[in-house]
Structures are given as structure tokens and as C-alpha cells.
Amino acid sequence: MKESEIQSSIIDYLQILENKGKIFFQRVNNTPVYDPKYKQFRSMPKGTKKGFPDILVLINGRTIGFEVKTATGKQSEDQKDIENKFKQHGQEYFVVRSLDEVTKILSK
């Protein structure tokens, strides 16, 4: 399964939870986006950090960063640095490879 497919299934599930008022989440896009009109990649806004997790979830006083990877995917050095920053500030960060992993983490 592709990373985008895993991510899509997770987002669909999180949207259901958010619609029920159980969580708040945001999909974070911190990679440059190609602008076909100008035929170049748009730079990311100031304050956008390389390596920020794909999904940010707020639930019951918890802040959770989810970095989505395939079964063989690995974190970049930027992602490892951001993970450390989350943990230094007492927040949660997980590398997840399936919707099942996310549901288990959120049920804690």
C-alpha cells in the first residue's frame, strides 16, 4: 500500500471522529507544491518546518503528531529532529504505518 493510501484512510477515519466532536485534527502539508501556471514549485510560508508530522491531532488534552510511512518507509533526519522536539515539550509523536496503529494510539 502506498503512503498516500495509508494517509487517506487515516484522514477519513479522523474526519469521522472530528465530525462527532471527539477530536480536532489537521493534515499538514510542508512540501513545496508545483504551480503549473508559473511552472515552478511554490515556496512554503514562513514558519513552515521541514520534517513536521503529516497529521496533528488534539484529543482530550493530548497533542499527537503522526508521521505516516509505508511498511518499509524511514524517517528523514528532519523528521527525527521534529520528533525529538515534540517529546522535549511533553507531546506525543508516532510513526504510523496503518489505520489500525492510529486507532490503538487514540484509544489510550
Side-chain angles (χ1 to χ4, degrees), residues 35-73:
D35 186 337
K37 181 178 178 181
Y38 297 104
K39 297 182 180 164
Q40 64 184 12
F41 284 94
R42 287 188 274 153
S43 60
M44 297 309 294
K46 284 184 179 181
T48 302
K49 293 175 176 48
K50 288 179 84 175
F52 202 81
D54 296 312
I55 302 169
L56 190 64
V57 174
L58 306 179
I59 180 172
N60 300 326
R62 298 164 66 193
T63 301
I64 307 170
F66 288 116
E67 180 60 41
V68 180
K69 295 290 182 195
T70 63
T72 57

Side-chain angles (χ1 to χ4, degrees), residues 27 44 59 71 76 80 82 87:
R27 160 69 173 102
M44 297 309 294
I59 180 172
S76 69
K80 290 176 185 177
I82 294 289
K87 291 178 177 178

